[in-house]
Amino acid sequence: MKQTIFILVTVLLAGCASDQTNVLGEITKIDGAVLKGNITWHVASQTYRLASTDFIAIPLSEVRSVRVKKPDHLELALQMIERGDYTKPIPILQEIIQDYTMLQWDQPAYRWLVECYLRTAQPQKVLKTYDRAVKATQSGPDEDFKLIYLSALLDLGETKRARDGADAILSEAGKARFEEMLKQRNATTTKSTLSSGAAPSAAPSE
């Protein structure tokens, strides 16, 4: 009988498992209770699975916050970015997103991943990653993240979509930053045109 129960529990846990790594941390529930243990996020049931003395499933609706230790390899990726390397951090950030889905540090990883994609001329991946990040957070991306998304739209030539998006998702301060970004892009385009060797139109003779 005990063996049957053990097998059943093992099967149930396997069914709840995901590709996400167990991360040690704490969950604060809306009722104020704080639970500590190894945490994973289970997408299908929208629950946090916490293993401590018991195995507990906590619905997202009951969770106020989740706190886990900052992954060391996130700091490594940020150091690379500071040095101007936007290629090597990509697989590191992708790994963090998978291992820390809905576990606090996926959002910073998403934000810097889109920065890397933008800097390496991959605007389509910026859009896809932004959409994934929106679905993986309750609070939504921050203003810098949104501006990177809009910048990718501009890189794809979708100026109207970017303008409409700015009106819909940015604060007033964000909209001002977006307009400044447009001015800088226009100035860069004009400078590039002039330096390409195209002579300005001659003034009409009198």
Side-chain angles (χ1 to χ4, degrees):
M1 181 65 178
K2 289 183 178 179
Q3 184 178 8
T4 302
I5 293 173
F6 175 78
I7 293 172
L8 178 59
V9 171
T10 303
V11 170
L12 288 172
L13 290 177
C16 295
S18 65
D19 291 334
Q20 189 184 46
T21 302
N22 285 329
V23 178
L24 184 63
E26 65 179 40
I27 294 175
T28 301
K29 298 179 66 177
I30 291 174
D31 63 10
V34 177
L35 305 173
K36 298 181 180 181
N38 288 312
I39 308 169
T40 57
W41 168 248
H42 193 254
V43 178
S45 62
Q46 293 289 287
T47 58
Y48 286 100
R49 305 300 175 93
L50 186 141
S52 53
T53 53
D54 297 309
F55 180 78
I56 306 170
I58 308 169
L60 179 61
S61 59
E62 296 180 9
V63 174
R64 177 181 294 164
S65 65
V66 177
R67 294 178 62 83
V68 299
K69 181 179 178 293
K70 183 179 181 180
D72 294 335
H73 42 319
L74 175 57
E75 194 59 40
L76 174 63
L78 295 181
Q79 289 172 3
M80 291 177 180
I81 291 170
E82 284 182 6
R83 295 196 296 267
D85 186 344
Y86 295 97
T87 302
K88 291 178 183 176
I90 289 176
I92 299 173
L93 295 169
Q94 290 171 333
E95 180 183 352
I96 293 170
I97 288 168
Q98 176 166 315
D99 289 348
Y100 287 78
T101 298
M102 295 292 286
L103 295 177
Q104 185 180 357
W105 297 105
D106 59 336
Q107 286 301 311
Y110 272 123
R111 183 257 179 269
W112 289 107
L113 181 59
V114 294
E115 176 91 19
C116 290
Y117 282 147
L118 190 70
R119 298 278 190 159
T120 55
Q122 301 181 79
Q124 287 287 4
K125 289 188 177 181
V126 172
L127 305 188
K128 291 179 181 178
T129 304
Y130 178 86
D131 288 341
R132 285 179 59 199
V134 169
K135 295 174 183 176
T137 178
Q138 292 177 288
S139 58
D142 63 22
E143 204 92 303
D144 286 342
F145 200 155
K146 293 172 182 177
L147 285 166
I148 293 171
Y149 165 74
L150 296 172
S151 186
L153 287 175
L154 293 174
D155 284 351
L156 291 168
E158 298 192 37
T159 304
K160 183 180 185 305
R161 185 179 166 191
R163 284 188 175 278
D164 291 345
D167 289 338
I169 65 177
L170 294 179
S171 64
E172 291 304 314
K175 291 174 185 177
R177 290 174 63 189
F178 176 74
E179 290 300 325
E180 184 61 31
M181 185 169 68
L182 282 177
K183 289 179 183 177
Q184 291 177 358
R185 280 174 172 266
N186 291 336
T188 301
T189 301
T190 301
K191 184 178 179 180
S192 177
T193 301
L194 292 175
S195 63
S196 66
S201 301
S205 57
E206 297 182 355

